[in-house]
Amino acid sequence: MRSHEALYAGLNAILFLALTGARPNEALQARWEQFDLEAGEWRKPAANTKNRTAQTVPLAPEALELLHAIRGAAAMGGDGAGAGEWLFPSPRSGKLPHLTTVKKRWATLCKNADLGDVALYDLRKTFATRLMSQGASVITVQSLTGHKTPTVLLKHYNQVVGDDQRRAVAGLMKPRQKDA
């Protein structure tokens, strides 16, 4: 894989993390066979999940668009990602045939965007936060992020609940809007 191909693989992996809320290892270990692009699903094998439980999650339209773009670029002889077994193949021939980290690429991206000290895992937190702020239930977010229990999810994302609580009490005494 050429250096520009490695760049695209890393950036695509970062975008995929943002669009799926996946744990980095789940995404970086993903194989094309785990995806049903027609159904819009990702079937994560138990061996790749933190809780060692197989999980099937729906993919956002934007995530599907990214996957189709990766596949399309490979088919046209583009960036090399998507041409083989791995969603994000390694740029180096070594022990593992897939990317194992995108931390350096993430650090460069954050520096260039003047984001300060933002952790890669913050993409996962942002994914959960956005879902909850759009009204998704804790159980739905738990299932999409692969947390074992709602308690574990809320332990890590309790700032979301705090904001929801503030919004809820702020409108407590306001008259309810009738549907038009």
Side-chain angles (χ1 to χ4, degrees), residues 17-58:
L17 289 170
L19 295 171
T20 62
R23 292 178 176 94
N25 283 340
E26 292 172 349
L28 298 178
Q29 294 174 16
R31 299 172 190 245
W32 280 107
E33 67 190 26
Q34 297 168 7
F35 295 89
D36 182 339
L37 299 182
E38 293 292 319
E41 294 180 339
W42 178 14
R43 295 178 308 276
K44 301 176 189 178
N48 290 10
T49 66
K50 181 180 176 182
N51 296 319
R52 298 295 181 229
T53 305
Q55 182 186 13
T56 299
V57 294

Side-chain angles (χ1 to χ4, degrees), residues 53-67:
T53 305
Q55 182 186 13
T56 299
V57 294
L59 295 165
E62 298 83 0
L64 284 169
E65 189 177 324
L66 173 65
L67 292 174

